[in-house]
Amino acid sequence: MGVMRATLKKDPSRVAGMFDDVAERYDITNTVLTMGQVYVWRAAVKAALEPKPGMKILDIAAGTGSSSAFYAQAGAEVVALDFSIGMVEVGQRRQPQLDFIAGDAQALPFADESFDAVTISYGLRNVQDPDLALREMLRVTKPGGRLVLCEFSTPTYPPFNALYRAYLGKALPALASVVSSDPEAYDYLVESILDWPDQRAIATRLQDAGWRKVAYRNLGGGIVALHRGTKP
């Protein structure tokens, strides 16, 4: 674990501040750094959620609400939650039709069994205690409801994994220096991705948190993994 990663993990306010700093250019930076794949992955999350009218969805680590708005297009009621005040402020300005809440995934400000589905994309890595967050997500989900987790993961084909790690180490920081309002924040991004457990380990952690019917599939050759679980 790198020094920056370890230091930030001990100080959640610094992580939140980092996301505050990149909020304005967050969406365009994600598009550039993923070479547009973020839209493909977002569509996969939506397909797994199966949003529809009358359905209530909690989107955690929603950022500026671009994903939340996409899920809401199907008629579902989507609550966008993020721990960065800066992200929430930008989101409220860009997506005024959505319900934004600043909150902590480890202590969700909702009653038990409030949502039909909970989703979190690229945010669980930034939580101090991911297992506690998974249990909180279970608490606020209705029986029979689902969790959809999309997170950076480990490419399964070794030559591709080596190429991907080279991209993270060299090309991504160079691109971030051009498009991001805070390039140093993306040093943290690289370290957090490389430090994150692989697909099978995350599936086990979902099961340990109480989720059932846990399954996952790789997207982009394993650059990200889409995990699903159901509350018993």
Side-chain angles (χ1 to χ4, degrees):
M1 180 181 291
V3 174
M4 183 179 184
R5 169 72 170 162
T7 302
L8 283 170
K9 270 299 201 181
K10 293 178 181 178
D11 189 353
S13 65
R14 286 189 61 195
V15 179
M18 179 185 70
F19 281 100
D20 291 345
D21 292 341
V22 301
E24 283 291 346
R25 296 183 59 82
Y26 183 72
D27 293 323
I28 185 63
T29 302
N30 283 349
T31 299
V32 172
L33 297 185
T34 65
M35 301 179 186
Q37 287 298 296
V38 65
Y39 299 106
V40 177
W41 302 335
R42 187 177 297 161
V45 173
K46 184 177 181 180
L49 282 171
E50 298 181 352
K52 56 188 176 182
M55 187 176 181
K56 191 170 183 180
I57 299 172
L58 173 62
D59 186 12
I60 300 174
T64 63
S66 53
S67 59
S68 305
F70 184 59
Y71 309 148
Q73 288 175 359
E77 178 186 349
V78 183
V79 176
L81 180 140
D82 202 279
F83 75 144
S84 162
I85 299 297
M87 288 286 186
V88 169
E89 290 176 345
V90 173
Q92 288 175 325
R93 188 173 72 246
R94 294 181 182 174
Q95 309 287 351
Q97 78 281 12
L98 293 177
D99 183 11
F100 279 90
I101 294 177
D104 185 351
Q106 300 167 116
L108 294 171
F110 307 106
D112 295 356
E113 302 178 4
S114 295
F115 296 93
D116 299 294
V118 177
T119 184
I120 178 170
S121 294
Y122 324 113
L124 196 60
R125 300 184 332 280
N126 302 316
V127 177
Q128 275 197 306
D129 189 340
D131 300 305
L132 173 58
L134 289 172
R135 294 194 297 271
E136 271 291 275
M137 295 176 206
L138 185 76
R139 179 184 66 79
V140 302
T141 302
K142 297 175 182 178
R146 72 190 69 174
L147 167 68
V148 178
L149 163 66
C150 190
E151 185 56 89
F152 289 105
S153 196
T154 305
T156 55
Y157 183 53
F160 179 58
N161 190 27
L163 181 64
Y164 175 59
R165 292 173 74 92
Y167 169 77
L168 290 177
K170 297 180 179 180
L172 188 147
L175 287 170
S177 69
V178 175
V179 299
S180 173
S181 55
D182 184 5
E184 290 186 3
Y186 290 86
D187 293 337
Y188 166 80
L189 170 67
V190 172
E191 291 195 22
S192 69
I193 291 173
L194 295 177
D195 189 47
W196 189 245
D198 67 13
Q199 296 89 322
R200 292 184 179 181
I202 295 302
T204 297
R205 291 172 80 160
L206 263 68
Q207 292 173 327
D208 290 345
W211 294 95
R212 296 296 176 260
K213 299 180 181 178
V214 173
Y216 71 87
R217 68 184 181 100
N218 293 312
L219 303 174
I223 291 177
V224 302
L226 186 68
H227 284 77
R228 302 173 305 284
T230 301
K231 179 170 180 176

